[in-house]
Amino acid sequence: MRLDGSAVVRIFVDEMGRVTDTQVLESSDPMFESSSVDAACKFVFAPKIVDGVAVARTYDNVFRYRMENDEARDAGTPTP
Protein backbone atom coordinates (compact mmCIF):
# COMPACT_ATOMS: atom_id res chain seq x y z
CA MET A 1 0.00 0.00 0.00
CA ARG A 2 1.27 3.45 -0.86
CA LEU A 3 0.07 6.74 0.56
CA ASP A 4 0.73 9.98 -1.32
CA GLY A 5 -0.09 13.44 -0.12
CA SER A 6 0.96 17.04 0.13
CA ALA A 7 0.68 20.21 2.16
CA VAL A 8 1.11 23.83 1.11
CA VAL A 9 2.70 25.99 3.79
CA ARG A 10 3.11 29.77 3.73
CA ILE A 11 6.47 30.64 5.27
CA PHE A 12 7.02 34.08 6.76
CA VAL A 13 10.67 35.16 6.64
CA ASP A 14 12.20 38.15 8.42
CA GLU A 15 14.84 40.58 7.12
CA MET A 16 17.63 38.26 8.27
CA GLY A 17 16.27 35.23 6.38
CA ARG A 18 14.89 33.48 9.47
CA VAL A 19 11.49 31.81 9.52
CA THR A 20 9.24 33.70 11.92
CA ASP A 21 5.90 32.01 11.31
CA THR A 22 4.11 29.46 9.16
CA GLN A 23 0.54 28.89 8.02
CA VAL A 24 -0.86 25.73 6.44
CA LEU A 25 -2.81 26.87 3.39
CA GLU A 26 -4.02 23.43 2.34
CA SER A 27 -3.25 19.75 2.71
CA SER A 28 -4.49 16.51 1.24
CA ASP A 29 -4.73 15.10 4.76
CA PRO A 30 -4.17 16.70 8.20
CA MET A 31 -1.49 14.06 8.95
CA PHE A 32 0.92 15.92 6.62
CA GLU A 33 0.54 19.32 8.26
CA SER A 34 2.75 19.08 11.36
CA SER A 35 5.66 17.46 9.48
CA SER A 36 5.48 20.16 6.83
CA VAL A 37 5.44 22.96 9.40
CA ASP A 38 8.34 21.35 11.29
CA ALA A 39 10.39 21.15 8.09
CA ALA A 40 9.54 24.73 7.10
CA CYS A 41 10.71 26.04 10.47
CA LYS A 42 14.18 24.58 9.80
CA PHE A 43 14.65 26.50 6.55
CA VAL A 44 17.08 29.42 6.40
CA PHE A 45 16.84 31.90 3.53
CA ALA A 46 19.21 34.47 2.10
CA PRO A 47 17.92 37.94 2.95
CA LYS A 48 15.89 39.58 0.18
CA ILE A 49 17.35 42.94 -0.79
CA VAL A 50 15.14 45.68 -2.24
CA ASP A 51 16.81 49.02 -3.07
CA GLY A 52 19.78 48.02 -0.94
CA VAL A 53 17.68 47.16 2.13
CA ALA A 54 16.87 43.71 3.50
CA VAL A 55 13.11 43.13 3.66
CA ALA A 56 10.77 40.52 5.09
CA ARG A 57 8.92 38.24 2.68
CA THR A 58 6.72 35.19 2.36
CA TYR A 59 7.04 31.95 0.42
CA ASP A 60 4.44 29.32 -0.37
CA ASN A 61 6.10 25.91 -0.35
CA VAL A 62 4.59 22.59 -1.41
CA PHE A 63 5.70 19.58 0.62
CA ARG A 64 5.05 16.27 -1.18
CA TYR A 65 4.98 12.89 0.52
CA ARG A 66 5.08 9.32 -0.71
CA MET A 67 5.01 6.63 1.92
CA GLU A 68 4.95 2.87 1.64
CA ASN A 69 4.32 0.48 4.50
CA ASP A 70 6.37 -2.67 5.19
CA GLU A 71 3.78 -4.93 3.61
CA ALA A 72 3.92 -3.06 0.31
CA ARG A 73 7.72 -3.06 0.31
CA ASP A 74 7.92 -6.78 1.11
CA ALA A 75 5.26 -7.78 -1.44
CA GLY A 76 7.79 -7.84 -4.29
CA THR A 77 10.51 -9.64 -2.33
CA PRO A 78 10.79 -13.40 -2.94
CA THR A 79 10.47 -15.57 0.16
CA PRO A 80 13.38 -18.06 0.64
Side-chain angles (χ1 to χ4, degrees):
M1 181 174 95
R2 189 172 81 196
L3 177 62
D4 296 336
S6 64
V8 179
V9 177
R10 178 158 291 155
I11 304 169
F12 297 87
V13 180
D14 70 8
E15 298 83 359
M16 300 300 294
R18 297 175 296 219
V19 175
T20 58
D21 200 6
T22 59
Q23 176 186 8
V24 176
L25 300 179
E26 63 181 84
S27 66
S28 59
D29 190 294
M31 68 185 271
F32 299 118
E33 295 177 9
S34 65
S35 295
S36 299
V37 168
D38 289 346
C41 288
K42 294 177 183 175
F43 289 178
V44 177
F45 295 87
K48 181 176 182 177
I49 307 297
V50 176
D51 296 326
V53 178
V55 296
R57 60 191 168 171
T58 61
Y59 287 101
D60 291 348
N61 196 82
V62 179
F63 293 88
R64 292 185 174 87
Y65 297 89
R66 174 173 285 169
M67 297 181 287
E68 296 183 23
N69 67 16
D70 290 337
E71 288 179 32
R73 230 172 302 136
D74 295 341
T77 305
T79 305

